[in-house]
Amino acid sequence: MHEDGGPRGPGRYALTDSEHGHVWGVCAEVDGLFREPRRATYELLGWVPENADVLGWVGSRVWLVPEDGTDDVWLLEDAESLGRHPRSDDLVLTGRDDYLGPPEGHRATVRLHDGYRWLGSCREFARVLPEEQAATPVVLRGLAPSDRLRQVLASGTRRVTELDEAILEIRDDDGEPLADRLLHPAVRAWRPSFRGPDLIDLELDAEIHGPVPGHARPVLDRWLAGPPKVPGAWAGLAARERRVWLELVRERGCRLTRVAPPAGRAYELDGRNVTDEPGLFLALGEAVNGPGGYFGGCVDALVDCLHGGFGHTAPATLVWRDIATAREHLSRLLSPEGEPYDLVALVLEVLAEGRVHVTFG
């Protein structure tokens, strides 16, 4: 039992107070977690393509780079081109904005790229936000409530049904944390659950930060049985799904506590499937920490990992098998600002600075 009188037994989901860490309850089913995030629509006026068809880009990360250099670069996550507007040469694009989103009323030329190639340019764009919708309630079905939550529900006042900031934790089949989502819940209603005695269905007024979209759910389902037991289980995934896999690897890697290994270890990186950026860091994580292992999800995170605490003690050696695949796909990338750079060379430089001697096999 949890120290605050929490429920017994494992559950797929746990609702936890983010400040104090006590568990409000656990359950096996949640409504409102799996849904598509809100997407905005963009009409790119006067579209001129470069090296790319107007259809596709499904799941791409697309950067919009102002030609006049007066504004920041804007990122669209999960961008998808819907093709030409039926009454013009304009291109219709959908996607999820980054934290700031593109500014309204930008009138200068903008070029677009996906990190690998320039896609095209437009003289200006119009941004159409989706209609505001009421937040989808989150329903925890068959919840085994803690004693603390029972006291809150028994009081029955609006003031105490505000649960402040909470974490909805997703656990694997062994009860180990897999991922989590932030929410600010207030109890809307609760009722006895048909799923068992002393269980309730708890309905919350809450907006989940980062709901699980459809393309991510198969990856999450594969991890619910536990971390992968063989390397390369991600190899058959497209870049979009590999990014989901890498995020699960990162969340797990940042939770684990490791004993510092001895210096002088030898690692071997299987580079056959390093055809995109997430694939590079997935292969590197497995080389250092085994199947499902984490050792950075970007260059900055790799630098942090090389300073210790993530399964590595300098100096070490790394044999990179089939580096030609990575060089073919990752040596001519574009930074968010559109500047060309060589990711493979950059990673090799960072590893050398971290006293990892790399050879090629």
Side-chain angles (χ1 to χ4, degrees):
M1 178 176 290
H2 193 271
E3 63 182 5
D4 74 336
R8 299 180 178 86
R12 174 70 74 205
Y13 306 97
L15 186 67
T16 304
D17 180 273
S18 62
E19 181 178 358
H20 304 289
H22 59 256
V23 177
W24 292 113
V26 297
C27 64
E29 183 181 347
V30 173
D31 294 346
L33 173 61
F34 299 97
R35 57 185 174 82
E36 297 302 317
R38 296 174 72 241
R39 300 170 66 86
T41 300
Y42 304 82
E43 292 185 4
L44 307 181
L45 310 180
W47 175 254
V48 179
E50 301 177 48
N51 309 313
D53 193 356
V54 296
L55 290 175
W57 320 343
V58 177
S60 296
R61 304 178 77 195
V62 171
W63 285 265
L64 289 79
V65 184
E67 287 274 85
D68 58 10
T70 58
D71 290 295
D72 293 332
V73 174
W74 319 307
L75 171 63
L76 296 183
E77 294 277 5
D78 273 342
E80 180 177 357
S81 166
L82 303 183
R84 299 282 192 181
H85 192 282
R87 295 183 299 277
S88 69
D89 289 334
D90 305 333
L91 186 71
V92 181
L93 181 69
T94 71
R96 294 187 290 113
D97 288 344
D98 64 357
Y99 179 71
L100 295 176
E104 298 294 341
H106 183 84
R107 294 293 179 263
T109 300
V110 174
R111 294 183 75 192
L112 281 71
H113 72 81
D114 63 0
Y116 297 91
R117 57 180 178 165
W118 287 104
L119 303 172
S121 63
C122 62
R123 68 174 184 270
E124 61 181 286
F125 62 85
R127 181 182 184 213
V128 182
L129 293 175
E131 294 183 2
E132 288 291 338
Q133 297 178 344
T136 303
V138 177
V139 183
L140 283 66
R141 300 196 180 277
L143 182 77
S146 67
D147 292 343
R148 186 188 299 263
L149 180 58
R150 290 186 184 277
Q151 293 170 5
V152 168
L153 298 178
S155 66
T157 67
R158 180 67 178 174
R159 180 178 63 84
V160 294
T161 55
E162 298 283 350
L163 301 184
D164 298 321
E165 187 177 272
I167 299 294
L168 182 63
E169 187 178 87
I170 307 172
R171 299 173 174 178
D172 65 20
D173 289 346
D174 294 324
E176 294 297 321
L178 174 59
D180 56 52
R181 293 295 186 269
L182 178 68
L183 62 162
H184 296 84
V187 176
R188 173 187 286 186
W190 66 278
R191 62 193 67 85
S193 176
F194 70 86
R195 289 165 176 78
D198 299 323
L199 302 181
I200 63 173
D201 292 342
L202 183 69
E203 184 174 339
L204 303 174
D205 271 323
E207 183 75 19
I208 290 182
H209 296 259
V212 181
H215 74 270
R217 187 161 188 177
V219 177
L220 183 66
D221 287 345
R222 290 175 67 175
W223 273 77
L224 289 176
K229 296 179 173 55
V230 296
W234 49 268
L237 301 176
R240 189 187 197 192
E241 286 73 27
R242 286 183 178 187
R243 285 196 291 270
V244 177
W245 191 286
L246 182 59
E247 180 60 23
L248 292 173
V249 166
R250 186 197 65 79
E251 290 192 54
R252 175 174 177 266
C254 292
R255 280 193 298 264
L256 293 177
T257 301
R258 299 179 180 85
V259 176
R265 291 187 62 182
Y267 309 118
E268 184 171 322
L269 190 155
D270 182 353
R272 291 174 297 174
N273 299 300
V274 180
T275 55
D276 49 35
E277 185 172 355
L280 169 58
F281 290 103
L282 288 170
L284 183 59
E286 290 190 332
V288 177
N289 287 310
Y294 173 73
F295 203 68
C298 63
V299 173
D300 288 343
L302 173 59
V303 172
D304 292 339
C305 290
L306 286 167
H307 283 88
F310 287 88
H312 163 73
T313 301
T317 60
L318 172 70
V319 180
W320 191 325
R321 306 289 184 189
D322 197 7
I323 194 173
T325 301
R327 284 179 167 151
E328 177 186 354
H329 291 89
L330 300 176
S331 294
R332 294 173 296 277
L333 301 187
L334 297 172
S335 71
E337 295 76 18
E339 298 296 329
Y341 74 101
D342 184 339
L343 179 59
V344 178
L346 182 57
V347 167
L348 290 174
E349 179 182 338
V350 168
L351 289 171
E353 291 175 352
R355 296 195 295 159
V356 178
H357 177 66
V358 181
T359 61
F360 312 114

